[in-house]
Amino acid sequence: MSTQTSTPSPAGRPGFRLPNWAGSFGFQIIAALIVGLGLGLLAKYTGSTKASPNGLGATLQTVGSSYVSLLQTAVVPLIFTAVVSSISNLRAVSNAARLAWNTLLWFAITSLIAVLIGIGLGVLLQPGANTGITQQAKYAGKSGDWWAFLVGLFPKNFLGLGASTTLTDGVATTAVSFNVLQILVVAIAVGVAALKVGAQAEPFLKLNASALAVIQKVLWWIIRIAPLGTVGLIGNAVAVYGWDTIGSLGKFTVAIYIGLALVLFVVYPVLVRSHGLSVRQYFSGVWPAVQLAFVSRSSIGTLPLTQRVAERNLGVPRAYASFAVPLGATTKMDGCAAIYPAIAAIFVAQFFGIQLDVSQYVLIALVSVLGSAATAGTTGAVVMLTLTLSTLGLPLAGVGLLLAIDPILDMGRTAVNVAGQALVPAIVAKRQGILDEALYNAPRNGDPFADDAGSPAAVAHEQVQAVSPESRELAGAKA
């Protein structure tokens, strides 16, 4: 009689466990991208179209749009509570005015670099010349102008909300919209007023901080299901647009993505390295937010994750990050407000045979650096483009040529936006001597949710925070 011996599994551990990388947020997003691409191609080649989607196409469209709607639901309360909290948190930061000024300065510097790259690519690659396409219908959407920007600063109501009603076949449909810029103005006014009131405003600030914590928790739940939303968003984009639409504007699409790649993989690493920081640690730290931005196409929806990676991965102090990241999510747009309008404006000029002079190139740079705030809360890059075209006196009909591929371009633009929104706070914190370099150089586990309360990573983080400043400084130097 033979006996077999087996080594029992350690107590509390299952017999089979997925490797750590398989459970990481980044891997889940990449896997969702692949699945979404496959399902989108399947839907397209089984006859699904934008006007008449089949079952698979309709499912992908519903899943994707529902996920974006979930993100948008929390935008208004998130921005208001985050900005009010960020202003109140500046009390805990020394030299708050200097931090705010340096943040705005570096927003402008990086935007200027991005727009110069865009102008250079537009002149070099000539994306609007010999396209082989005919002029489409005139653009009838929302356009941006400086007067509308100034008027839009004044909120029509406390929450910056608006409603529009359309009548179709005798049925009235009302849609509610919001203006992020107006919400930002209201929140800044309330935050500053609370600081001026002093002790009497403490209960309000505590209530606001509690509301922000609750809203962020809800958003964490939404972000956790980002892989599911990714399948729907990417699948729908492939099913609706495919490669045919990109092909008609292939040179323009390539020019945009070359510009985005240069900013993300050349300019940002140079800035990181020039400040004595690790490029590898920057990318590994910010990558979860970049991935979510790529698929969601929403800087505001990605805001909680951007702020988390800035604090936990890049070592930006929470009091400063809670000011700089929300501000960047509404005004810092190197992709949408710098590279894209620069190349697109040159494309429109070339398409219509209009010769641009040096003064008009200077105007493109000026509008891109100063005008990103004018697009806050609207349709982003499209309005920014109309603002640029109207300032240069170029035909707005050119916008209609580019709308077909805008969702595909918007994925890359938003990813670069978010990467820059996390970069600038890290640079400013480093320059002001408040960056936690031990945390910046700490090993990554690929999971932005690992520091939730009670998790091993959260305990480890608290232990790092408990170490003396001298030891943490030494650890940062060794890393």
Side-chain angles (χ1 to χ4, degrees), residues 157-449:
N157 54 68
F158 179 71
L159 295 177
L161 298 176
S164 59
T165 302
T166 56
L167 191 64
T168 305
D169 298 329
V171 179
T173 304
T174 301
V176 177
S177 60
F178 56 86
N179 187 309
V180 172
L181 187 60
Q182 293 183 1
I183 299 171
L184 192 63
V185 170
V186 171
I188 291 174
V190 171
V192 172
L195 291 183
K196 294 294 185 181
V197 169
Q200 289 181 322
E202 286 301 323
F204 167 75
L205 293 176
K206 289 181 180 179
L207 175 63
N208 181 83
S210 298
L212 176 60
V214 172
I215 294 165
Q216 286 181 325
K217 176 57 69 175
V218 173
L219 270 168
W220 278 140
W221 294 340
I222 297 174
I223 291 173
R224 282 180 181 273
I225 61 172
L228 180 61
T230 298
V231 172
L233 290 167
I234 297 299
N236 181 63
V238 172
V240 172
Y241 302 103
W243 303 111
D244 300 334
T245 306
I246 300 177
S248 62
L249 292 167
K251 189 183 291 187
F252 176 74
T253 304
V254 169
I256 293 293
Y257 269 94
I258 289 177
L260 296 173
L262 286 174
V263 171
L264 181 58
F265 297 114
V266 178
V267 175
Y268 289 172
V270 168
L271 291 174
V272 169
R273 193 61 187 166
S274 65
H275 285 84
L277 298 173
S278 166
V279 174
R280 179 180 180 182
Q281 287 296 100
Y282 165 71
F283 277 118
S284 64
V286 80
W287 204 248
V290 171
Q291 288 176 316
L292 180 61
F294 182 83
V295 297
S296 68
R297 296 167 48 204
S298 173
S299 294
I300 297 295
T302 314
L303 171 58
L305 187 55
T306 309
Q307 185 169 331
R308 171 162 286 198
V309 299
E311 295 174 8
R312 298 298 201 188
N313 290 354
L314 302 185
V316 180
R318 177 169 299 178
Y320 170 53
S322 63
F323 163 78
V325 177
L327 180 63
T330 55
T331 61
K332 169 65 176 167
M333 303 179 186
D334 289 345
C336 291
I339 296 173
Y340 176 76
I343 297 178
I346 295 173
F347 168 89
V348 172
Q350 292 169 351
F351 182 83
F352 288 98
I354 300 171
Q355 188 69 32
L356 298 179
D357 56 30
V358 175
S359 64
Q360 289 174 307
Y361 288 124
V362 173
L363 268 180
I364 292 176
L366 182 64
V367 172
S368 298
V369 173
L370 300 179
S372 60
T375 68
T378 57
T379 50
V382 173
V383 174
M384 184 64 200
L385 176 56
T386 65
L387 179 65
T388 306
L389 295 181
S390 59
T391 302
L392 296 173
L394 296 174
L396 290 180
V399 181
L401 297 169
L402 307 177
L403 286 179
I405 59 171
D406 191 70
I408 296 170
L409 301 178
D410 198 30
M411 292 186 290
R413 293 189 312 234
T414 309
V416 171
N417 292 345
V418 167
Q421 290 158 14
L423 171 71
V424 169
I427 288 178
V428 173
K430 170 66 175 178
R431 294 175 67 89
Q432 297 300 314
I434 60 174
L435 186 71
D436 188 340
E437 294 191 51
L439 199 56
Y440 183 98
N441 292 308
R444 315 284 190 221
N445 64 0
D447 185 2
F449 312 105

